[in-house]
């Protein structure tokens, strides 16, 4: 079976040039592309009408994942497959009389689905190595959930005692033999169609399993306790800020006054409504320095919002996926910069933090609109983020742990401590305003005449964040004016020169005029002027030779495609010879390569090289 991506007739193709990739990622990106080509997932093409830029994202294990940013090419125009994602109650009705349960998880489910030839031409990515098309359904296609559900429904059609929600299958039987027969039939069918399972995520013959946020047993289904853990385990407020957050939660749901009674009232399962795929879905999210919070809700015809599930550090991506995949929903945030970063109609900004890029790519699975809601009207998710469940081992934010570790290790070596910078930031007139904008929202534009001091921050607003009450631009600490001269002296103390100082600054600190300040402190330093580098030599172009093959230029290129390449160019005709050296650039191998060329066209009068060891060895 092959998947098909449908576009309206006469849709104008969109071809994007490759985005700039950080130098540290380039080799890993090339390796990942090569790996996918070897597996048949990608195929090199020379030309294409469609091409999406790629976004490289570093996984927690250090490896790079490449994803096509299809939300700027085909997603806005795709006619989304209308195959229904099954309703939960309909699914569970097929498990009647089940005694034990087995759950199967398909590994890299979408990449197991081959695309038809027409669709392959639509999912082309533009990379530093050229154009590549996907032979299999890639991550981030808006029709992918419905297409996959259609295929999996066809695979397991007419098999009793089984249900499938996208790549999660649940099997049962009224007896052990019936269960075994169902399991054997489903596995055979999957194998016949070329699907494979992830054994680490499969369970067999369990008395109860967690599926679609319900606990399934032979007695039926009941809500998984994790749905309200974020409320029932909410700790009491310890300060004014946490108390205000909890009062906001109370006001949002109009509950009673005392903490214990209010907490139990909010968490009561009677306040949760059943999921209804016919109603609009809202996902309200918030994050603070204490944790993260989220609420999935339905909006009814009278505009009343009722909660389906609460989350505070415990709701996994899988549970979100089960509620949201294949359905349109509204994503609500009180952080205005995310409107641009996660906007489904815009490309992913290359200057955003790495973990925000990962979330933006993750959201490409879904069809959603994103809306801003002021914090005072966002109290339900805000309270859960500020009063998270303590010591929760079911959720580990690896990104945050890594970021905190990096900041801690840097702060240990800084002569200026984070507390010193935070204190200076709090009294800096300009940075106080910048901090307010980062925490709330930026205006749409700034007047250079009225607010020239804020324009540099506005231009880099998508890179700004707050950590330990310091402002960060990416991984760089924004230094308040009061401390800038002290930082300049620290950067200049070893008299490294303007280039080295700029390189050091880029890894740790920033302010709008830092490059100019570094230049001025270098020019005003007697020692730096005394030992400044010699004037740049004056270069001139080679004169064009009168005859072909009278002068040739040669050098090595690579490694590219796991090889070094000898490049020889005739200065007159510009005719090139390219020879694969197989990573052997010794003088002996170079001589053999040159002899092959000279046997073909004769020796030149002049040979020009960079005088590297292979060219000068005797």
């Amino acid at each position: 079976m092959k998947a098909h991506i449908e576009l309206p007739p006469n849709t104008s193709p969109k071809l994007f040039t490759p985005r700039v990739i950080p130098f540290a990622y380039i080799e890993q990106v090339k390796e990942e592309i090569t790996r996918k080509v070897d597996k048949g997932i990608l195929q090199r093409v020379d030309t294409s009408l469609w091409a999406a830029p790629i976004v490289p994202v570093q996984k927690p294990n250090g490896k790079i994942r490449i994803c096509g940013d299809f939300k700027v090419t085909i997603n806005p125009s795709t006619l989304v497959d209308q195959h229904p994602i099954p309703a939960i109650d309909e699914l569970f009705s097929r498990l009647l009389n089940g005694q034990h349960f087995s759950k199967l998880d398909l590994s890299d489910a979408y990449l197991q689905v081959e695309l038809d030839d027409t669709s392959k031409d639509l999912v082309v990515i533009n990379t530093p190595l050229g154009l590549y098309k996907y032979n299999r359904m890639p991550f981030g296609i808006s029709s992918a959930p419905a297409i996959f559900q259609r295929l999996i429904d066809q695979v397991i059609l007419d098999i009793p005692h089984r249900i499938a929600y996208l790549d999660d299958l649940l099997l049962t039987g009224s007896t052990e033999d019936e269960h075994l027969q169902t399991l054997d039939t489903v596995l055979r069918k999957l194998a016949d169609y070329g699907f494979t399972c992830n054994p680490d995520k499969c369970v067999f013959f369990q008395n109860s399993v967690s599926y679609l946020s319900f606990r399934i047993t032979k007695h039926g289904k009941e809500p998984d306790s994790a749905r309200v853990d974020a409320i029932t385990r909410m700790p009491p407020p310890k300060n004014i800020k946490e108390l205000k957050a909890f009062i906001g939660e109370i006001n949002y749901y109009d509950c009673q006054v005392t903490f214990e009674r209010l907490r139990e009232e909010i968490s009561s399962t009677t306040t949760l409504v059943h999921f209804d795929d016919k109603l609009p879905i809202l996902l309200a999210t918030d994050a603070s320095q204490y944790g993260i919070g989220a609420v999935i809700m339905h909006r009814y015809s009278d505009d009343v919002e009722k909660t389906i599930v609460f989350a505070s550090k415990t709701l996994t991506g899988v549970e979100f996926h089960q509620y949201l995949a294949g359905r349109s929903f509204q994503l609500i945030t009180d952080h205005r910069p995310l409107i641009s970063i996660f906007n489904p109609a815009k490309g992913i900004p290359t200057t955003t933090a790495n973990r925000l890029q990962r979330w933006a790519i993750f959201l490409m699975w879904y069809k959603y609109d994103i809306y801003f809601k002021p914090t005072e009207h966002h109290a339900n998710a805000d309270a859960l983020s500020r009063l998270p469940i303590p010591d929760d081992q079911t959720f580990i934010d690896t990104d945050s742990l890594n970021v905190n570790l990096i900041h801690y290790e840097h702060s240990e070596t800084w002569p200026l401590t984070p507390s010193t910078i935070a204190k200076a930031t709090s009294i800096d007139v300009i940075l106080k305003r910048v901090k307010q904008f980062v925490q709330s929202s930026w205006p749409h534009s700034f007047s250079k005449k009225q607010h020239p001091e804020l324009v540099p921050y506005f231009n880099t607003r998508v890179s700004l964040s707050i950590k330990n009450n310091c402002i960060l631009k990416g991984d760089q600490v924004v230094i308040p004016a009061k401390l800038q001269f002290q930082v300049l002296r620290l950067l200049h103390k070893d008299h490294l020169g303007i280039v080295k100082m700029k390189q050091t600054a880029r890894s740790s600190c920033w302010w709008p005029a830092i490059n100019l300040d570094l230049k001025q402190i270098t020019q005003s330093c007697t020692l730096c002027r005394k030992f400044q580098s010699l004037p740049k030599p004056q270069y001139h172009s080679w004169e064009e030779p009168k005859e072909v093959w009278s002068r040739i230029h040669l050098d090595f290129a690579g490694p590219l495609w796991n090889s070094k390449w000898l490049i020889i160019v005739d200065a007159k005709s510009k005719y090139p010879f390219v020879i694969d050296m197989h990573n052997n650039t010794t003088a002996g191998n170079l001589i053999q390569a040159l002899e092959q060329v000279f046997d073909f066209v004769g020796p030149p009068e002049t040979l020009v090289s960079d005088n590297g060891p292979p060219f000068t060895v005797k």
Side-chain angles (χ1 to χ4, degrees):
M1 295 187 294
K2 295 184 178 181
H4 177 69
I5 301 171
E6 186 73 27
L7 296 181
N10 302 320
T11 300
S12 299
K14 297 179 181 179
L15 190 148
F16 286 79
T17 57
R19 287 183 183 155
V20 176
I21 293 177
F23 293 135
Y25 290 175
I26 289 178
E27 286 303 318
Q28 289 177 285
V29 167
K30 293 176 180 177
E31 291 174 4
E32 179 65 8
I33 291 174
T34 302
R35 185 186 69 84
K36 288 191 172 183
V37 170
D38 293 341
K39 285 192 170 186
I41 297 173
L42 289 176
Q43 179 181 338
R44 179 71 183 265
V45 294
D46 294 327
T47 60
S48 176
L49 296 176
W50 292 86
I54 64 169
V55 181
V57 179
Q58 192 171 34
K59 302 178 184 178
N61 62 7
K63 294 184 177 180
I64 293 294
R65 175 194 295 121
I66 59 170
C67 300
D69 192 0
F70 296 110
K71 71 178 184 179
V72 298
T73 55
I74 64 171
N75 278 358
S77 304
T78 299
L79 298 176
V80 178
D81 193 311
Q82 297 302 312
H83 184 79
I85 305 295
I88 293 175
D89 288 338
E90 175 192 351
L91 285 175
F92 289 151
S93 66
R94 303 174 192 168
L95 302 177
L96 189 64
N97 299 324
Q99 299 298 307
H100 298 91
F101 302 90
S102 296
K103 188 164 67 170
L104 304 179
D105 180 86
L106 301 181
S107 55
D108 293 327
Y110 290 9
L111 286 176
Q112 297 191 45
V113 178
E114 187 177 358
L115 294 169
D116 62 22
D117 291 338
T118 303
S119 301
K120 291 177 183 178
D121 294 334
L122 302 177
V123 286
V124 177
I125 54 176
N126 208 344
T127 78
L129 300 184
L131 297 171
Y132 290 84
K133 68 178 180 182
Y134 275 92
N135 292 321
R136 298 183 172 275
M137 191 161 61
F139 189 92
I141 301 299
S142 57
S143 275
I147 291 174
F148 189 85
Q149 187 68 50
R150 179 192 299 277
L151 295 179
I152 204 67
D153 286 346
Q154 294 177 16
V155 170
I156 62 175
L157 185 67
D158 298 328
I159 301 177
H161 313 300
R162 68 20 186 192
I163 59 176
Y165 191 92
L166 298 174
D167 58 345
D168 288 321
L169 285 77
L170 187 63
L171 321 172
T172 188
S174 57
T175 64
E176 185 174 310
D177 289 341
E178 192 173 64
H179 189 153
L180 278 171
Q181 184 178 357
T182 300
L183 179 60
D184 181 70
T185 305
V186 169
L187 291 175
R188 288 179 182 275
K189 278 280 190 178
L190 292 174
D192 290 343
Y193 284 92
F195 287 104
T196 59
C197 296
N198 183 353
D200 294 334
K201 295 185 178 180
C202 297
V203 295
F204 301 97
F205 285 87
Q206 302 293 306
N207 292 325
S208 68
V209 293
S210 178
Y211 191 78
L212 302 183
S213 294
F214 286 91
R215 178 59 55 179
I216 310 300
T217 69
K218 65 180 180 181
H219 303 295
K221 67 177 175 68
E222 57 187 32
D224 197 319
S225 61
R227 294 174 69 192
V228 292
D229 265 359
I231 297 296
T232 57
R233 296 176 57 197
M234 180 187 293
K238 299 181 183 66
N239 52 50
I240 296 297
K241 203 168 192 178
E242 291 183 357
L243 179 61
K244 287 181 179 179
F246 181 70
I247 291 174
E249 178 83 358
I250 295 167
N251 290 336
Y252 197 92
Y253 291 103
D254 195 24
C255 299
Q256 303 174 19
V257 181
T258 62
F259 177 80
E260 291 297 334
R261 290 181 59 191
L262 285 170
R263 185 169 65 178
E264 293 302 320
E265 178 67 21
I266 297 173
S267 66
S268 170
T269 55
T270 59
T271 66
L272 297 180
V273 297
H274 290 294
F275 180 82
D276 187 340
D277 60 351
K278 298 180 180 62
L279 292 174
I281 305 170
L282 287 74
L283 171 61
T285 62
D286 194 56
S288 73
Q289 63 184 20
Y290 308 106
I292 62 172
V295 183
I296 299 180
M297 300 171 286
H298 275 321
R299 177 178 288 146
Y300 289 81
S301 57
D302 55 1
D303 286 335
V304 173
E305 297 172 2
K306 295 186 178 181
T307 302
I308 304 168
V309 60
F310 294 103
S312 177
K313 292 175 63 179
T314 58
L315 190 64
T316 66
V318 174
E319 291 166 336
F320 273 103
H321 188 67
Q322 292 166 346
Y323 283 109
L324 306 176
R327 298 180 172 88
S328 297
F329 65 93
Q330 295 179 5
L331 177 60
I332 301 170
T333 177
D334 63 351
H335 190 50
R336 194 180 291 274
L338 295 182
I339 301 295
S340 175
I341 295 172
F342 293 156
N343 193 317
K346 296 182 179 180
I348 301 171
T350 57
T351 55
T352 54
N354 196 47
R355 55 182 174 158
L356 287 180
Q357 286 189 345
R358 281 201 290 273
W359 277 109
I361 292 169
F362 177 78
L363 286 170
M364 287 195 301
W365 284 85
Y366 304 100
K367 188 175 180 63
Y368 67 94
D369 296 307
I370 186 167
Y371 295 95
F372 171 77
K373 180 184 284 188
T375 302
E376 58 268 24
H377 302 303
H378 197 60
N380 54 349
D382 179 73
L384 293 173
S385 74
R386 297 184 184 277
L387 294 169
I389 299 172
D391 303 323
D392 181 10
Q393 298 302 315
T394 64
F395 180 92
I396 299 176
D397 187 354
T398 307
D399 285 338
S400 294
L401 292 177
N402 290 338
V403 169
N404 289 337
L405 176 61
I406 291 170
H407 283 295
Y408 173 77
E409 290 177 342
H410 278 307
S411 65
E412 288 296 298
T413 60
W414 287 343
L416 293 174
T417 64
S419 59
T420 304
I421 298 173
K423 185 176 180 180
T425 300
S426 67
I427 60 176
D428 187 291
V429 176
I430 297 175
L431 293 188
K432 281 170 65 177
R433 295 194 64 189
V434 172
K435 189 174 178 182
Q436 291 173 354
F437 287 132
V438 173
Q439 293 177 323
S440 56
S441 61
W442 285 87
H444 293 297
S445 62
F446 266 111
S447 169
K448 291 185 178 180
K449 292 183 179 180
Q450 295 179 355
H451 304 287
E453 73 283 358
L454 292 174
V455 171
Y457 299 96
F458 176 78
N459 292 338
T460 60
R461 61 193 182 278
V462 296
S463 303
L464 299 179
S465 60
I466 307 294
K467 181 69 179 178
N468 294 333
N469 291 318
C470 300
I471 302 176
L472 301 182
K473 177 181 175 285
D475 291 332
Q476 299 168 296
V477 180
V478 178
I479 304 298
K482 179 181 178 181
L483 302 176
Q484 287 173 9
F485 182 70
Q486 186 177 349
V487 172
L488 284 173
R489 291 181 60 186
L490 291 170
L491 292 170
H492 180 246
K493 67 177 183 177
D494 294 323
H495 302 277
L496 299 175
I498 183 65
V499 175
K500 290 291 186 181
M501 285 197 296
K502 285 182 178 180
Q503 290 175 345
T504 304
R506 288 191 191 106
S507 66
S508 57
C509 59
W510 179 85
W511 63 86
I514 186 171
N515 287 339
L516 179 61
D517 292 344
L518 288 171
K519 181 178 180 181
Q520 290 176 346
I521 197 173
T522 304
Q523 292 176 343
S524 63
C525 174
T526 304
L527 192 61
C528 287
R529 290 202 309 271
K530 182 177 180 180
F531 293 103
Q532 66 182 350
S533 58
L534 296 173
K536 292 184 179 179
Q538 297 297 317
Y539 297 102
H540 64 276
S541 300
W542 287 89
E543 294 182 3
E544 182 175 332
K546 296 180 179 180
E547 297 180 0
V548 173
W549 204 250
S550 61
R551 188 181 75 240
I552 64 172
H553 296 252
L554 65 161
D555 200 358
F556 293 110
L560 293 171
W561 297 287
N562 298 319
S563 280
K564 287 287 190 70
W565 304 80
L566 175 63
I567 311 297
I568 305 173
V569 180
D570 173 39
K572 177 68 175 179
S573 67
K574 306 300 186 291
Y575 186 86
F577 285 86
V578 181
I579 303 172
D580 186 355
M581 302 296 288
H582 300 290
N583 288 317
N584 183 355
T585 57
T586 60
N589 201 34
L590 173 62
I591 291 172
Q592 292 181 12
L594 291 176
E595 285 178 345
Q596 293 178 13
V597 176
F598 295 164
D599 287 346
F600 181 66
V601 293
E605 295 178 6
T606 306
L607 185 151
V608 181
S609 73
D610 62 357
N611 288 333
F615 301 104
T616 58
V617 68
K618 295 183 179 180

